[in-house]
């Protein structure tokens, strides 16, 4: 029996969720239905997005992080004496909603399908990640995006990809480790958001459980839907808590003293 799907070819959220669970257990290169019949490179950057579906995934992540993983992280921080260095009410919006999603996706997930570009893209993206949004790093990211797009209008695409994708079988053999190590690295980088006071090492992984789960979902959607979809979901996910904090602060500041 055929799986139920929506009229435009997109599978429903339940099918996507089950596919995500299978992906975590056995990552593969498959795509989900709903992609347009156009150039694959363009589709990777500008996928046929259903914004409502991205909000469904963001909502699930917010719920799980708020009710399950977030309390575990808070308890671990209290147990280990770690304190969060970032205040949600002072995080720059543009940095959280535009810069971080784009740069972090370039570092941790772009290369999952564009392996042959990592030799030059990853060092530049890492530089932007660690230095932060400044004039030079913004220009660097712009150059990275232009360079990533250069093969679109040239036959060089085949030459660049052929050198790597003839090793596709070997890459498939280690794809499980590539996915999960990239998600662990994504979580680990967020350990820098904390200050520590003799915090035991075994406590530290629990501090970033929300980022680990979020990284798994972003890796899945990057492989299944495309790089643009991962950046969009990352931006939506970051914007949600900031919007809530802003509404709360606006409500409090608007009350008479």
């Amino acid at each position: 029996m055929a799986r139920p799907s929506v009229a435009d070819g997109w599978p429903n959220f339940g099918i996507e969720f089950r596919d995500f669970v299978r992906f975590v257990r056995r990552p593969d290169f498959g795509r989900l239905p709903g992609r347009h019949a156009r150039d694959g490179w363009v589709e990777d950057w500008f996928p046929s997005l259903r914004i409502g579906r991205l909000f469904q995934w963001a909502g699930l992540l917010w719920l799980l992080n708020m009710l399950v993983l977030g309390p575990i992280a808070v308890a671990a921080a209290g147990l280990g004496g770690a304190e969060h260095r970032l205040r949600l009410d002072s995080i720059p919006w543009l940095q959280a909603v535009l810069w971080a999603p784009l740069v972090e996706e370039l570092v941790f997930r772009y290369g999952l399908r564009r392996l042959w570009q990592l030799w030059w893209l990853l060092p530049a993206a890492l530089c932007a990640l660690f230095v932060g949004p400044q004039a030079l790093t913004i220009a660097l990211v712009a150059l990275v995006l232009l360079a990533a797009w250069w093969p679109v209008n040239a036959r060089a695409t085949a030459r660049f990809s052929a050198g790597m994708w003839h090793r596709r079988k070997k890459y498939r053999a280690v794809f499980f480790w590539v996915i999960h190590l990239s998600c662990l690295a994504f979580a680990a980088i967020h350990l820098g958001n904390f200050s520590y006071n003799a915090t035991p090492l075994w406590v530290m992984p629990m501090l970033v459980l929300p980022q680990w789960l979020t990284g798994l979902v972003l890796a899945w959607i990057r492989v299944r839907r495309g790089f643009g979809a991962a950046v969009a979901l990352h931006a939506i996910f970051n914007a949600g808590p900031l919007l809530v904090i802003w509404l709360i602060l606006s409500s409090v500041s608007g009350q008479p003293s």
Side-chain angles (χ1 to χ4, degrees):
M1 180 180 296
R3 292 175 175 175
S5 60
V6 295
D8 61 1
W10 273 63
N12 61 41
F13 185 76
I15 290 176
E16 285 197 354
F17 181 78
R18 291 192 292 273
D19 183 75
F20 164 71
V21 173
R22 286 192 295 268
F23 180 84
V24 171
R25 295 170 58 189
R26 297 187 64 180
D28 61 79
F29 294 105
R31 296 286 199 180
L32 287 173
R35 291 168 61 84
H36 288 162
R38 59 181 179 182
D39 187 280
W41 193 287
V42 177
E43 186 78 17
D44 194 46
W45 285 84
F46 301 102
S48 307
L49 287 175
R50 295 185 65 198
I51 299 300
R53 181 57 52 81
L54 294 183
F55 273 98
Q56 284 181 295
W57 278 106
L60 178 63
L61 286 172
W62 291 330
L63 187 66
L64 290 175
N65 287 338
M66 181 176 61
L67 298 181
V68 182
L69 300 183
I72 294 175
V74 171
L79 179 65
E83 296 181 357
H84 210 293
R85 297 192 306 173
L86 301 179
R87 294 180 54 187
L88 283 175
D89 59 345
S90 62
I91 296 177
W93 273 75
L94 289 179
Q95 182 173 341
V97 178
L98 295 179
W99 178 262
L102 178 59
V103 173
E104 290 180 3
E105 293 307 307
L106 284 172
V107 169
F108 295 103
R109 281 168 282 274
Y110 178 79
L112 295 178
R113 278 192 174 274
R114 305 295 177 194
L115 191 63
W116 64 89
Q117 291 187 312
L118 280 185
W119 67 273
W120 60 266
L121 184 145
L122 186 58
L126 280 170
C127 176
L129 177 67
F130 286 112
V131 174
Q134 300 181 13
L136 288 177
T137 52
I138 291 172
L140 178 63
V141 170
L143 288 174
V144 165
L145 297 178
L146 288 173
W149 262 89
W150 171 63
V152 173
N153 297 315
R155 294 182 178 180
T157 303
R159 296 200 300 271
F160 281 118
S161 60
M164 292 302 299
W165 285 110
H166 77 274
R167 303 185 181 94
R168 186 183 181 99
K169 187 175 181 180
K170 294 182 179 179
Y171 186 46
R172 284 180 180 273
V174 298
F175 195 53
F176 175 92
W177 299 106
V178 171
I179 289 293
H180 287 285
L181 288 176
S182 69
C183 293
L184 289 174
F186 175 69
I189 202 73
H190 290 85
L191 287 171
N193 294 342
F194 294 88
S195 57
Y196 301 97
N197 182 21
T199 305
L201 291 176
W202 64 268
V203 171
M204 292 185 179
M206 291 188 286
L207 299 175
V208 290
L209 283 176
Q211 288 83 0
W212 168 73
L213 174 62
T214 303
L216 285 173
V217 173
L218 290 170
W220 168 81
I221 204 166
R222 188 271 174 273
V223 172
R224 292 289 193 257
R225 291 292 182 202
F227 178 74
V231 174
L233 177 57
H234 197 150
I236 292 170
F237 176 79
N238 284 1
L242 294 178
L243 178 60
V244 171
I245 294 296
W246 179 79
L247 291 174
I248 292 174
L249 293 177
S250 297
S251 175
V252 171
S253 62
Q255 293 179 357
S257 56

